[in-house]
Amino acid sequence: MLFEDLGLSPALLRALSETGYTTPTPIQAQAIPPALNGEDILGAAQTGTGKTAAFGLPLLQKMAKMTPVKGPRKPRALVLVPTRELAVQVADSLKTYGRHLRLNVTMIFGGVGMQPQIENLRRGVDILVACPGRLIDHLDSGHVKLDAVELLVLDEADRMLDMGFLPSIKRVLSRVPQQRQKMLFSATFEPRIRALAMELLNKPTEVQVAAQNTIAETITHRVHPVDGPRKRDLLVEILSRRHTDQVLIFGKTKHGCNRLAEQLETAGLKSVAIHGNKSQAQRQKALDQFKSGKARILVATDVAARGLDIPNLPLVINHDLPMVAEDYVHRIGRTGRNGASGEALSLVAPEEGGLLRQIQRMLKADIVMQTVDGFEPSRPIRLDAPIPKNGGGQQRRQPMGGRPAQRPGEQKPGGQRAPRKAGARGHGKPADRGAHAHAHTGKPGGRPARSAQRLDSRA
Ligand code: AMP
């Protein structure tokens, strides 16, 4: 299958070839024709498999075909994203793919001044990429109208439809004419969110290139059991051994991420941090430093879990497990993108067994556990441990940044291969040479080891 076979215009084909894309990814091959045909799309594909172009190419083609009205243009396409960083990335991709089209792509998100955005909106917009909170500010103050929108995309749709964002999304949707084409894309769709998505769509074509909630087979992932207070030492040990690799580390809280980044600095490991309490300029700077390879270590809250495309990132470490199981898939999906191999490690304290259980349940697979010499936990991980008070389940998901849930857009920001149902792989490059194969499943009661190989072949 070639891009030429999908019905894309010569201007887009030229841009794709200049970008170095030769063949469409499976999600692109499946989503682009029905999207060009005007159908609503519900798209589920693993992280890093080219979803942006899957909605972006048909969107650009349709916008280019429409005759623009005279005078300042109102947005005719709206792409809603959960984080500011993702807004920047999606807008950049649309500009790249649409470089031979005369379309204006404008971004709207919080944490930066209103005035430049007002001026951009005044100048006229074809495609608006926005976080919901700031978009509502502009809608309320009359700086933008969405009555000309012909095409609406929700990227990371499951996040956009969960409790924190839903009120804002509903407000935005109430300003968009009904019966417009809609496309919803995400790597994960929890059943309740999926039902909600189906309500928004009109007889959608469902495009699913991987079983839902699965992890690309190119990602090796495992758990290192360790006592909570020793996590930082284990992290330093792993990072020192992997001294050339770029690493994205996820922490639970903004304060915790700051402290961890400081502690890593003290240990001589240069780190930058991203979370909702940093200014947008600081966040973008840290991300740019990391993306360009200038910073080796990025410590982040879940603001960095969604959609961010960091080229060739080899390793993701969960210093703390996410409170919501789906976020595990998104976090570790920052590595192993577009068919590359990647590795993800989770440092799990005995009391975090409940969180691990809910992740394994979602993946429908156990994750290989591997104790690291010198860091053996004082007691086994109990999968029947209670889930921490503020964790677990979609209902209890916390906003990704530091601001109230009503303004999600401002707080945070925000495979081509056959899928594996089991997210776990036992082989591949060891994270740390000192880790030995105490592979076991960590079932309640410390059931004996199931070998990594066996888990592999199960997949
Ligand atoms: P996305 O899932 O949209 O973030 O894309 C993941 C990565 O794959 C990005 O670096 C894209 O530039 C890249 N990509 C997307 N589609 C293709 C393609 N058809 N050929 C090569 N690379 C692609």
Side-chain angles (χ1 to χ4, degrees):
M1 166 83 67
L2 298 170
F3 279 114
E4 282 77 359
D5 303 326
L6 299 178
L8 294 170
S9 68
L12 286 174
L13 293 174
R14 207 167 113 214
L16 289 171
S17 134
E18 288 162 0
T19 313
Y21 295 4
T22 49
T23 47
T25 66
I27 186 83
Q28 292 162 5
Q30 290 183 37
I32 291 172
L36 284 174
N37 205 24
E39 292 165 39
D40 279 8
I41 306 281
L42 181 67
Q46 290 162 325
T47 52
T49 55
K51 288 195 288 285
T52 317
F55 67 74
L57 294 170
L59 178 152
L60 288 161
Q61 177 142 326
K62 296 191 123 218
M63 292 304 112
K65 271 197 177 156
M66 285 174 196
T67 326
V69 290
K70 289 217 175 83
R73 282 141 18 233
K74 290 194 265 186
R76 290 174 292 139
L78 174 63
V79 183
L80 291 173
V81 293
T83 69
R84 301 168 192 170
E85 286 79 5
L86 195 51
V88 173
Q89 190 176 295
V90 167
D92 280 351
S93 295
L94 293 176
K95 285 178 193 168
T96 303
Y97 306 145
R99 64 164 71 129
H100 302 301
L101 305 171
R102 291 186 167 189
L103 293 170
N104 175 290
V105 181
T106 292
M107 287 180 286
I108 293 288
F109 50 73
V112 292
M114 290 280 277
Q115 200 52 38
Q117 296 180 348
I118 294 171
E119 279 155 28
N120 284 340
L121 290 168
R122 257 190 215 135
R123 273 195 284 272
V125 176
D126 297 301
I127 299 164
L128 191 58
V129 181
C131 294
R134 177 58 70 86
L135 178 59
I136 288 172
D137 287 344
H138 285 295
L139 281 168
D140 288 349
S141 48
H143 298 125
V144 66
K145 288 204 163 35
L146 300 178
D147 55 348
V149 167
E150 296 283 339
L151 207 160
L152 176 76
V153 178
L154 261 62
D155 194 11
E156 303 295 338
D158 66 325
R159 180 71 181 106
M160 305 301 279
L161 296 177
D162 82 13
M163 309 283 259
F165 274 102
L166 194 56
S168 310
I169 295 293
K170 283 186 170 161
R171 281 184 70 186
V172 173
L173 289 180
S174 70
R175 309 285 192 99
V176 175
Q178 300 296 308
Q179 302 306 323
R180 295 301 186 237
Q181 187 179 5
K182 299 189 189 82
M183 299 194 237
L184 272 60
F185 280 84
S186 185
T188 55
F189 277 106
E190 186 237 340
R192 193 179 58 83
I193 300 286
R194 192 175 177 283
L196 202 53
M198 294 303 275
E199 275 175 32
L200 287 179
L201 298 169
N202 176 29
K203 298 194 191 105
T205 299
E206 286 193 57
V207 181
Q208 188 175 318
V209 296
Q212 282 181 31
N213 302 336
T214 58
I215 285 162
E217 68 162 1
T218 52
I219 303 174
T220 302
H221 58 138
R222 82 194 82 180
V223 159
H224 288 324
V226 58
D227 284 334
R230 301 217 58 213
K231 279 188 178 184
R232 198 204 59 197
D233 290 345
L234 175 55
L235 193 60
V236 170
E237 170 98 0
I238 294 170
L239 294 173
S240 310
R241 288 184 174 167
R242 303 280 297 258
H243 56 90
T244 53
D245 281 347
Q246 267 204 310
V247 188
L248 172 57
I249 301 169
F250 283 102
K252 197 161 39 189
T253 62
K254 290 168 259 181
H255 179 60
C257 285
N258 266 349
R259 210 177 41 203
L260 190 57
E262 280 162 23
Q263 288 168 335
L264 293 177
E265 285 275 339
T266 311
L269 299 159
K270 187 129 190 48
S271 314
V272 288
I274 285 193
H275 53 71
N277 275 2
K278 297 239 172 198
S279 73
Q280 187 52 30
Q282 288 171 319
R283 276 163 51 166
Q284 197 60 48
K285 185 173 168 208
L287 185 62
D288 290 345
Q289 284 178 327
F290 191 62
K291 277 190 170 185
S292 67
K294 281 190 197 136
R296 184 170 83 88
I297 299 169
L298 177 66
V299 185
T301 56
D302 278 311
V303 299
R306 295 273 178 164
L308 292 189
D309 187 43
I310 300 152
N312 308 317
L313 178 66
L315 178 60
V316 171
I317 300 180
N318 289 311
H319 180 271
D320 308 296
L321 286 179
M323 293 299 183
V324 175
E326 281 80 9
D327 286 346
Y328 179 82
V329 174
H330 291 280
R331 283 182 177 190
I332 82 169
R334 296 316 100 215
T335 182
R337 294 178 72 74
N338 198 23
S341 63
E343 196 181 350
L345 304 174
S346 299
L347 312 187
V348 179
E351 59 277 13
E352 290 177 299
L355 292 174
L356 182 59
R357 181 188 64 225
Q358 69 177 16
I359 291 167
Q360 298 195 149
R361 249 191 214 159
M362 180 201 58
L363 296 173
K364 298 191 183 70
D366 298 331
I367 303 175
V368 169
M369 290 208 203
Q370 201 172 44
T371 312
V372 179
D373 284 342
F375 291 92
E376 296 82 359
S378 50
R379 55 202 165 94
I381 292 180
R382 290 189 57 99
L383 293 182
D384 56 355
I387 288 169
K389 233 179 167 187
N390 59 342
Q394 286 284 347
Q395 292 76 359
R396 279 173 263 175
R397 189 198 286 277
Q398 301 297 309
M400 289 192 278
R403 309 265 299 278
Q406 300 91 285
R407 307 302 306 277
E410 286 206 57
Q411 354 162 329
K412 56 217 104 318
Q416 279 94 332
R417 304 209 185 175
R420 296 164 58 84
K421 262 236 144 138
R425 300 173 84 192
H427 57 72
K429 188 166 59 154
D432 36 84
R433 279 169 256 131
H436 53 195
H438 296 328
H440 57 96
T441 63
K443 288 255 189 266
R447 201 152 63 70
R450 181 191 301 205
S451 77
Q453 283 70 18
R454 183 138 162 249
L455 273 166
D456 243 357
S457 59
R458 247 170 54 114

